[in-house]
Amino acid sequence: MSNEYKFSVGPWNVHEGADPFGPPCRDSIDNITKFKAFKAIGFDGIQFHDDDVVPEIETKSFTEISTQAKALKKILDDQGLEAEFVAPRLWEDPKGIDGALTANDPAIRQWGIERTKRAVDIGQIMGCNMLVLWLAREGTYIREAKNPINSYQLLVDALNEVLQSNSEVRIVIEPKPNEPVDLAYLPTIGHALAMAHQTCDPTRVGGLIESAHALLAGLDPAEEMGFALQMNKLWGVHLNDQNGLKYDQDKTFGSVNLRSAFNQVRVLELGQYAQSGRYVGFDVKAMRTQPAAHAMRHLENSRDIFLQLVQKVRTFDQALEARCIKERDYEMLELAVMQHLLGN
Ligand code: XLS
Ligand code: MG
């Protein structure tokens, strides 16, 4: 059991800079070039969507899909990398416009389940049993569009079908309260883990917490992580930062709120997350203004800030902390944290 952390990142974290108001502003970089760069800056795990592994997956047969997945697995092996998880990108296909697993049309729901099972198959070929479900469009723009009781039942049914289809798979729910939809189902880790307990095998369903998603729900990411850690259900993290209640910004970890970042690292240390062998994932994006030559700095910087904060947590004066807590002198404790972060 090592207390060293290992890090993961997804190919979508290096992107061309398009946003809802403007086109791409940087050239595309092929995945193999990205993987080499990730490895060089200290990342050993790669997060995948199914169509990151197999582009245009909807047009391909299972034989083509497995051939491409095997080829990519070989590339990862050669570079000393591994796949952390595979997630079905149900939200980009036109069929999933109103959600997939909770769509009102049963044929779409069936498509969503089949595609999710296919993502499990891809994961198996890639050597990972983690299936991440970010339920992007499972929710509504207006409440009257769906029956929430029904929708939550449909989600339980879908999770059960996936669990029953493969005895190895571990489903990892990544909650987010909104965006793209106005209101998403399973907005917090509490919702996700409550649902996990309703499935046919709760031991195989856990959660992944993204800092910005917790912030968008008005919650404290570190405390959300603590909730999941208490249940042994924190199976992944997507560390990043977020400046207020805006669009999902995926900013460099710690770049908005250093104290909150410190507390996220602190809770991971308290919960012995490094010893669990799970990856510290980042879900960060370069700013659109960033020239191509520096469009990977957000990854390097996030990892660097994380590691510096690990040292901050490990060197915080424990005796002083214990004394402040005993005397209930939380002003002193707060000042000590601030001074430590300021380097004094
Ligand atoms: C989007 C999500 C997504 C997941 C993987 O907001 O964070 O990137 O991490 O599907
Ligand atoms: Mg994420």
Side-chain angles (χ1 to χ4, degrees):
M1 287 210 303
S2 160
N3 68 352
E4 297 300 313
Y5 288 90
K6 36 184 221 173
F7 300 97
S8 74
V9 60
W12 67 92
N13 292 136
V14 173
H15 64 105
E16 296 78 16
D19 69 16
F21 305 97
C25 55
R26 291 184 288 258
D27 289 339
S28 299
I29 302 176
D30 66 84
N31 275 349
I32 299 181
T33 310
K34 286 183 189 177
F35 299 153
K36 277 199 189 116
F38 295 159
K39 182 76 186 176
I41 56 177
F43 290 84
D44 298 312
I46 309 290
Q47 309 161 16
F48 286 103
H49 292 109
D50 52 0
D51 57 356
D52 294 320
V53 180
V54 183
E56 292 169 31
I57 190 168
E58 287 286 328
T59 63
K60 296 189 176 151
S61 69
F62 186 64
T63 316
E64 289 169 302
I65 290 173
S66 65
T67 308
Q68 285 195 25
K70 280 181 197 153
L72 189 60
K73 166 85 166 90
K74 164 110 181 46
I75 291 167
L76 294 183
D77 287 347
D78 291 347
Q79 296 192 15
L81 292 164
E82 62 177 4
E84 182 196 12
F85 66 72
V86 176
R89 205 181 238 135
L90 300 169
W91 58 92
E92 278 190 12
D93 192 280
K95 289 193 276 302
I97 194 163
D98 195 19
L101 308 176
T102 64
N104 285 321
D105 178 347
I108 301 291
R109 297 202 294 271
Q110 203 46 46
W111 162 77
I113 291 176
E114 289 310 319
R115 173 128 173 207
T116 304
K117 292 203 282 198
R118 181 87 359 139
V120 175
D121 297 335
I122 294 173
Q124 210 147 38
I125 297 170
M126 303 290 287
C128 66
N129 61 4
M130 254 174 83
L131 175 89
V132 166
L133 287 184
W134 169 49
L135 299 172
R137 297 192 192 276
E138 312 302 342
T140 53
Y141 293 93
I142 62 159
R143 300 303 83 76
E144 298 85 353
K146 290 181 187 175
N147 168 345
I149 305 170
N150 215 10
S151 296
Y152 278 114
Q153 184 61 51
L154 288 170
L155 285 175
V156 176
D157 294 346
L159 295 181
N160 283 342
E161 200 167 328
V162 175
L163 289 167
Q164 277 154 3
S165 74
N166 182 307
S167 61
E168 299 291 310
V169 68
R170 299 288 181 279
I171 299 180
V172 187
I173 301 171
E174 179 178 347
K176 182 177 180 183
N178 60 277
E179 199 200 26
V181 292
D182 174 57
L183 244 142
Y185 296 134
L186 302 182
T188 71
I189 195 69
H191 291 80
L193 296 184
M195 175 158 292
H197 279 279
Q198 286 202 74
T199 63
C200 60
D201 190 354
T203 64
R204 290 195 286 136
V205 186
L208 181 157
I209 295 179
E210 176 162 329
S211 323
H213 296 181
L215 290 167
L216 287 169
L219 296 166
D220 183 312
E223 298 291 300
E224 293 293 279
M225 289 173 195
F227 175 80
L229 283 163
Q230 189 275 331
M231 297 187 191
N232 268 323
K233 289 288 194 185
L234 189 64
W235 295 355
V237 289
H238 279 178
L239 302 183
N240 58 16
D241 216 341
Q242 172 73 25
N243 194 13
L245 300 181
K246 302 176 184 169
Y247 59 95
D248 186 4
Q249 296 185 300
D250 294 336
K251 287 176 71 67
T252 292
F253 180 56
S255 64
V256 176
N257 189 335
L258 194 58
R259 174 100 175 261
S260 162
F262 171 79
N263 281 314
Q264 289 171 62
V265 176
R266 174 177 176 268
V267 81
L268 294 177
E269 285 278 291
L270 291 172
Q272 301 193 307
Y273 187 84
Q275 288 86 332
S276 75
R278 298 187 184 282
Y279 279 99
V280 166
F282 293 103
D283 203 347
V284 288
K285 307 247 168 52
M287 288 175 263
R288 189 168 193 265
T289 48
Q290 196 72 358
H294 307 297
M296 291 216 193
R297 292 303 296 273
H298 57 302
L299 296 170
E300 223 172 327
N301 295 350
S302 292
R303 180 180 174 278
D304 208 50
I305 291 166
F306 179 89
L307 288 171
Q308 290 192 50
L309 286 171
V310 171
Q311 287 319 309
K312 284 287 170 193
V313 172
R314 290 182 184 170
T315 56
F316 188 61
D317 187 340
Q318 298 293 310
L320 175 65
E321 182 185 277
R323 204 167 61 244
C324 291
I325 290 172
K326 185 152 183 260
E327 292 169 9
R328 228 191 313 118
D329 191 351
Y330 298 151
E331 292 293 351
M332 182 62 186
L333 179 57
E334 180 153 72
L335 183 68
V337 171
M338 294 311 291
Q339 284 186 332
H340 191 58
L341 289 176
L342 287 163
N344 300 327

